[in-house]
Amino acid sequence: HTVFFSANDSLRLNVSVGEGGTIHSFNQEAVFANASTLSGSRFSLSNNGEITSNNDVAVRGFNMERAEVFNAGLIASNLNDGDRANGVRFQASANVNVVNAGTIQTNSILRNASVLEDVYAAGAVASHSTESNARFTLSNTGFIGGALSVYSDAFLNTVVNSGTLDGSLWFDNLAAKVRLDNTGSIFGSISIVPTATTPDTAESTVFNSGTIHGNVTLGSGSDVVVAPE
């Protein structure tokens, strides 16, 4: 690890990388915030420089009650295979908010779409949580790219894109509520509960006045799709 903070209780951590600043790791996470207690744990990252890892997740947070990433620089994982190839990855976290005006990318491949570890390891931005009311929010005006640009199994999901999402978007929660506002470009499919083996109640609202180069597969709940001519 280059920047590694771990707490036996809750953790509050703010990391700021200025323009021209660099955090790079060869074999582990470039930035890793790890808390033992969810309640009270906060992680905030502001990046205007470069955060990269050759062989692991670039930015990782674990067990955060609230996590925020504001990126106007570069966040990248150069790992192209394995279960830790994300640009930004949060696990066991309740509220995740990512705002990207720069570049978040990974060289990941999707090895096996039926294996959870393989699926969320392929996301440039990934949020995996066992919290029943977990929230995931992404606002993108820049570029996010990977085998999956976005993976989330949160209950409440909001994605606002006016930039480029180069890779599929997967929302994998049987009861997920998903809102997608796209005025930019999406290269890849949009899938709601793609790995479901039991009936789902997922609901989604998709507003698209941009371009989606891929299939849109919705859940079994009430869905709304608005696509002005």
Side-chain angles (χ1 to χ4, degrees):
H1 311 284
T2 302
V3 177
F4 173 63
F5 288 88
S6 183
N8 292 326
D9 199 344
S10 59
L11 172 68
R12 295 199 174 204
L13 175 64
N14 295 316
V15 177
S16 180
V17 181
E19 187 173 351
T22 300
I23 299 176
H24 177 71
S25 175
F26 286 97
N27 295 312
Q28 294 180 305
E29 300 94 336
V31 177
F32 184 21
N34 179 38
S36 296
T37 301
L38 176 76
S39 179
S41 291
R42 305 281 194 274
F43 173 54
S44 179
L45 169 68
S46 176
N47 177 51
N48 288 282
E50 296 186 1
I51 302 174
T52 57
S53 176
N54 277 1
N55 292 294
D56 212 318
V57 178
V59 175
R60 182 184 176 202
F62 183 81
N63 223 20
M64 294 293 139
E65 184 175 34
R66 183 172 299 278
E68 298 177 321
V69 173
F70 302 96
N71 179 56
L74 171 67
I75 298 176
S77 171
N78 297 320
L79 182 64
N80 60 13
D81 194 9
D83 61 2
R84 300 163 70 90
N86 314 94
V88 174
R89 173 175 178 169
F90 286 99
Q91 294 168 264
S93 297
N95 294 280
V96 174
N97 179 36
V98 178
V99 178
N100 179 57
T103 296
I104 302 175
Q105 64 186 22
T106 174
N107 291 328
S108 63
I109 60 173
L110 179 54
R111 294 183 299 183
N112 188 335
S114 63
V115 176
L116 177 61
E117 281 283 343
D118 288 350
V119 172
Y120 77 79
V125 175
S127 178
H128 171 50
S129 179
T130 56
E131 294 296 311
S132 60
N133 291 315
R135 295 175 179 238
F136 171 76
T137 303
L138 169 67
S139 177
N140 179 55
T141 59
F143 175 89
I144 299 176
L148 303 180
S149 59
V150 175
Y151 173 86
S152 172
D153 59 9
F155 172 60
L156 294 174
N157 302 270
T158 302
V159 175
V160 179
N161 177 56
S162 59
T164 298
L165 297 176
D166 188 8
S168 297
L169 287 75
W170 281 28
F171 302 95
D172 204 9
N173 182 315
L174 290 174
K177 296 184 183 300
V178 179
R179 180 184 176 101
L180 170 64
D181 292 352
N182 179 53
T183 59
S185 298
I186 298 175
F187 296 89
S189 63
I190 299 169
S191 300
I192 314 297
V193 287
T195 63
T197 57
T198 58
D200 68 89
T201 58
E203 299 179 353
S204 53
T205 302
V206 178
F207 292 94
N208 179 53
S209 58
T211 55
I212 300 174
H213 302 270
N215 296 327
V216 178
T217 304
L218 305 178
S220 300
S222 299
D223 302 301
V224 176
V225 178
V226 178
E229 295 182 0

